[in-house]
Amino acid sequence: MLKHTRIVAAVLMGWLAVAGAVQARQAEEVDQQLKALLMETVARSSSFDDRFDAEVWLVDMSTRMKPYLPNEQERLDFLRLVHQAAVRADLKPDLVIALIHAESLFDRYALSSAGAQGVMQVMPFWKHELGRPEDNLIDLATNLRYGCTILKYYLDKEKGNLRRGLARYNGSLGSQKYPDRVIDYWYSYWYVNE
């Protein structure tokens, strides 16, 4: 009986060692895939000052965003475009992500009852105001370009007052509900201390 127990224990230990090695190998393969994906995303990101900053920011934000955008490639592409549009408009990318969280919960096809479209809930009248009725506000890059430009304009108009700028963006100047929600998302989920 004792010999049988030792044999079972030895087999079990061997199986656990093999299973551990397989799991470690799979984790290594996943990490290599992530590394390749990040390298590709970083290479296409012209908005970062250096490669290391890009990798750190993308890994950090990608980890935080995984519950909202489970597809890794979609998530990294989204983050690259957000960073690019935010930096172009002289905005903090993490603030833009918080606003998107509040506006659309990262749904690029979001459509409000007022007709606002996309992740940043841009009103379509802006296309006509700009003489660009063919622009597609569901297109992520277009929506981000419009939304970041509008947000920056309102923040500048309010001389950097974040609450008032956010309220103007949302069309709710005078109410604190919307700015409080965006700021809460920013500090609770997305804030990056520089």
Side-chain angles (χ1 to χ4, degrees):
M1 180 73 164
L2 183 60
K3 184 177 179 182
H4 178 68
T5 303
R6 286 185 183 157
I7 292 172
V8 169
V11 169
L12 183 58
M13 292 297 282
W15 181 80
L16 288 174
V18 169
V22 168
Q23 187 175 19
R25 180 71 183 144
Q26 287 174 337
E28 184 179 310
E29 288 172 9
V30 170
D31 289 345
Q32 290 302 314
Q33 290 174 350
L34 176 58
K35 180 180 177 183
L37 193 57
L38 280 170
M39 288 176 69
E40 177 189 336
T41 302
V42 167
R44 294 184 299 154
S45 297
S46 60
S47 59
F48 291 95
D49 289 332
D50 78 21
R51 183 182 179 98
F52 178 75
D53 289 344
E55 289 178 13
V56 168
W57 190 84
L58 286 166
V59 167
D60 179 29
M61 286 296 162
S62 179
T63 302
R64 297 183 202 192
M65 189 167 283
K66 190 173 184 175
Y68 306 103
L69 293 175
N71 181 286
E72 196 166 54
Q73 181 68 54
E74 179 185 354
R75 192 168 60 246
L76 288 171
D77 288 344
F78 174 82
L79 289 168
R80 181 181 54 80
L81 288 171
V82 167
H83 193 277
Q84 191 173 41
V87 168
R88 183 179 292 145
D90 197 27
L91 294 169
K92 288 184 60 81
D94 47 317
L95 172 61
V96 173
I97 292 171
L99 183 139
I100 292 168
H101 189 166
E103 287 287 347
S104 66
L105 197 60
F106 308 102
D107 180 1
R108 71 183 324 155
Y109 303 105
L111 180 64
S112 77
S113 59
Q117 299 176 2
V119 291
M120 293 191 77
Q121 291 292 278
V122 176
M123 292 297 288
F125 75 81
W126 283 111
K127 298 187 311 180
H128 301 289
E129 287 290 320
L130 299 175
R132 300 179 57 95
E134 72 284 350
D135 279 358
N136 179 0
L137 294 176
I138 300 302
D139 175 72
L140 193 53
T142 302
N143 192 276
L144 290 166
R145 189 173 62 248
Y146 273 74
C148 287
T149 302
I150 293 165
L151 177 60
K152 178 62 174 169
Y153 173 79
Y154 286 137
L155 288 171
D156 287 349
K157 185 175 182 86
E158 293 297 336
K159 298 177 178 49
N161 183 313
L162 182 59
R163 288 182 182 283
R164 289 183 58 83
L166 288 169
R168 279 193 184 276
Y169 183 89
N170 179 252
S172 60
L173 190 60
S175 170
Q176 293 302 311
K177 185 177 179 181
Y178 177 78
D180 286 348
R181 190 168 81 206
V182 173
I183 291 168
D184 181 53
Y185 284 147
W186 189 22
Y187 285 110
S188 297
Y189 299 100
W190 307 110
Y191 184 77
V192 175
N193 192 8
E194 295 177 356

